[in-house]
Amino acid sequence: DVVDFSELFVARYKSENKMIKYIYMRSVKSDKHLDVSVVPEIPLAPEGFGILSDVIRNAKSIILNDYQDTLKKSKTTVTVRVTGNEEENPEETKAKPQSAIILPITLEDEVLGVIQLYTETRNAYNEEHLVFLEAFMQQVSLAYKNAILYKKVQDELNEKIEAEKYLTEALNEREILLKEIYHRVKNNLQLVASLLRMQSQKIKDPEIRKYFLESKDKVIAISLIHEKLYKMRDLSRIDFADYIFTLANSLKGMHSLDNSIDINVSAQKLFLPIDIAMPCGLILNELITNALKHAFDDHSKNPKIEILFSLNPELKKYTLIIKDNGKGFPQDVDYNNSNTLGVKLINTLINQVDGTLQLIKENGSTIIIDFPPSSYQNRI
């Protein structure tokens, strides 16, 4: 439904014997089950002697919008096609693919297999298709790797491997899988953000387009959490000061501004668990975005946003402050009882972390949020 194709192939690559085995074939011209057992294994061709083999060898995707011309110039000796029933529709069997997109399925720098999509339309594929499919293939590789790991554990149990050795290996694999999961979640969220951006370009109503772009910003704020977790040695918490710096710079870069607005961050190097970091990240996204969009106008002088984050060890509370020197909130606005979607979201997230919010309408706007440390470790 997302990418046009007339034929699709999935092949597994066996690095131990350098053989390619087709495990799934589909043609949009046939409703019948395609039996891949009759397709023999294909050896990995020498470099330059096969398009598919070169994709596997280089672990690099390729788009061919002039597939037949490329095929004529290549030294490929094996071509696999899915053909229809010539008796039913002989014209369909004469049609040849004109465009192709071929992607390796990889995990941890290992090529597990490859997926090939062909269509009879010329110039059918572009870079956005490639980005989407590469993110999709990462899910396939993780599922395949999980199956391999599960089989490995079962074999180890059957062979009665010593418990200490098994636990050590399991912990190492757990850390790898958690990192992979965070990485995949981050990629999936960036994929969702990309789809929202692409969809917004087709919307003519500026009000509706605004909601799509605001949703995209929220998704990016969440994906940034998973990106930080992926890079952390401790996979249960993140350096929130570093997160604030990154998010602030990212939001400033995404919003085109007539005035040059300074964003200053003063944050203690504190580590927050996931259950606190996620809602706090979304709160920050809403408040910074709101200040960038609404706090300043063409008459604002030296526009500035300040973000402060600290921990009061005596009160055992975190304090997050976002203030600006803009035109400020209207005096009749009650931030705790507003009906706008953004404010409702902020209040919901603050309740989620058992926090409180205070709005000061002097010399611009100052929002102070206090919340206690998480009980995440206690629950564990």
Side-chain angles (χ1 to χ4, degrees):
D1 293 336
V2 177
V3 180
D4 174 46
F5 72 91
S6 56
E7 296 179 0
L8 180 147
F9 305 105
V10 180
R12 182 174 63 225
Y13 175 61
K14 300 178 181 179
S15 58
E16 62 272 14
N17 58 4
K18 295 185 177 181
M19 297 296 288
I20 304 168
K21 173 62 178 176
Y22 282 94
I23 59 175
Y24 179 79
M25 292 182 174
R26 179 185 172 188
S27 170
V28 297
K29 299 177 182 178
S30 175
D31 295 330
K32 297 180 180 179
H33 175 71
L34 302 174
D35 186 6
V36 296
S37 63
V38 299
V39 182
E41 290 187 339
I42 303 171
L44 187 71
E47 189 170 357
F49 280 81
I51 299 172
L52 177 63
S53 295
D54 286 344
V55 168
I56 293 175
R57 181 179 290 103
N58 300 324
K60 189 174 182 180
S61 306
I62 187 173
I63 295 176
L64 300 172
N65 281 322
D66 53 352
Y67 177 70
Q68 290 299 324
D69 294 338
T70 305
L71 199 59
K72 291 176 183 178
K73 297 176 184 178
S74 72
K75 302 174 183 178
T76 302
T77 57
V78 177
T79 303
V80 178
R81 288 287 313 279
V82 176
T83 60
N85 190 320
E86 293 186 11
E87 295 180 359
E88 295 177 359
N89 196 344
E91 292 301 321
E92 286 190 353
T93 62
K94 297 178 182 179
K96 295 182 178 180
Q98 301 300 321
S99 300
I101 185 167
I102 306 173
L103 306 95
I105 304 172
T106 62
L107 183 66
E108 298 175 12
D109 299 325
E110 177 187 0
V111 177
L112 305 177
V114 67
I115 183 169
Q116 302 162 265
L117 284 83
Y118 298 93
T119 179
E120 295 163 12
T121 306
R122 291 185 66 88
N123 300 315
Y125 301 121
N126 55 43
E127 288 298 322
E128 287 193 349
H129 292 130
L130 187 61
V131 170
F132 181 88
L133 288 172
E134 284 180 340
F136 210 51
M137 286 308 99
Q138 289 173 349
Q139 292 297 319
V140 176
S141 64
L142 185 59
Y144 181 77
K145 188 66 175 181
N146 282 342
I148 293 174
L149 290 174
Y150 177 78
K151 185 176 184 301
K152 178 182 176 182
V153 170
Q154 290 299 105
D155 291 342
E156 289 174 350
L157 289 173
N158 293 335
E159 295 169 4
K160 297 182 180 180
I161 292 179
E162 297 178 4
E164 184 178 351
K165 179 181 178 181
Y166 166 72
L167 288 174
T168 301
E169 291 180 355
L171 285 172
N172 290 336
E173 289 176 355
R174 172 186 173 278
E175 182 175 348
I176 292 171
L177 285 174
L178 276 175
K179 280 184 172 289
E180 288 294 335
I181 289 169
Y182 285 137
H183 189 51
R184 298 300 187 251
V185 171
K186 185 257 306 184
N187 285 344
N188 284 345
L189 290 170
Q190 289 181 342
L191 174 64
V192 173
S194 177
L195 290 173
L196 287 170
R197 179 185 59 79
M198 291 166 58
Q199 192 66 38
S200 70
Q201 294 173 352
K202 300 179 182 180
I203 298 173
K204 296 181 180 180
D205 190 317
E207 187 69 16
I208 298 177
R209 187 188 307 117
K210 180 189 74 171
Y211 291 130
F212 270 78
L213 294 176
E214 287 177 352
S215 298
K216 180 206 69 172
D217 290 349
K218 293 179 178 66
V219 171
I220 290 176
I222 299 173
S223 76
L224 189 58
I225 293 281
H226 290 277
E227 181 179 351
K228 295 297 180 185
L229 284 168
Y230 173 71
K231 296 177 180 178
M232 295 291 294
R233 183 174 182 83
D234 184 346
L235 300 178
S236 65
R237 58 185 192 151
I238 71 168
D239 181 345
F240 202 66
D242 178 60
Y243 175 81
I244 295 173
F245 279 105
T246 306
L247 179 65
N249 289 330
S250 174
L251 289 174
K252 183 178 179 181
M254 285 190 294
H255 293 275
S256 58
L257 306 167
D258 295 331
N259 293 337
S260 177
I261 300 176
D262 290 330
I263 300 182
N264 299 326
V265 177
S266 176
Q268 292 182 8
K269 192 174 183 63
L270 298 169
F271 292 83
L272 295 185
I274 306 171
D275 66 329
I276 291 291
M278 193 73 71
C280 285
L282 285 171
I283 291 169
L284 265 175
N285 176 79
E286 290 297 313
L287 294 177
I288 296 173
T289 301
N290 183 67
L292 288 170
K293 287 183 176 180
H294 306 297
F296 308 102
D297 54 30
D298 295 336
H299 304 292
S300 299
K301 295 182 179 179
N302 302 319
K304 181 172 62 175
I305 299 172
E306 292 185 72
I307 305 169
L308 300 93
F309 180 61
S310 60
L311 170 66
N312 188 323
E314 295 180 359
L315 298 177
K316 295 183 179 180
K317 281 191 176 183
Y318 293 103
T319 299
L320 179 63
I321 301 174
I322 300 93
K323 60 181 180 178
D324 63 73
N325 61 349
K327 54 189 178 182
F329 282 87
Q331 291 300 319
D332 58 346
V333 170
D334 184 355
Y335 215 83
N336 292 311
N337 295 297
S338 175
N339 290 322
T340 64
L341 179 61
V343 174
K344 282 185 176 180
L345 175 61
I346 291 172
N347 287 327
T348 299
L349 294 169
I350 289 174
N351 290 333
Q352 187 175 326
V353 297
D354 298 323
T356 60
L357 181 146
Q358 179 184 3
L359 172 61
I360 301 174
K361 304 174 185 177
E362 296 178 1
N363 300 320
S365 300
T366 301
I367 296 176
I368 303 173
I369 299 170
D370 294 312
F371 57 94
S374 169
S375 58
Y376 189 74
Q377 295 296 334
N378 295 335
R379 293 203 301 273
I380 293 176

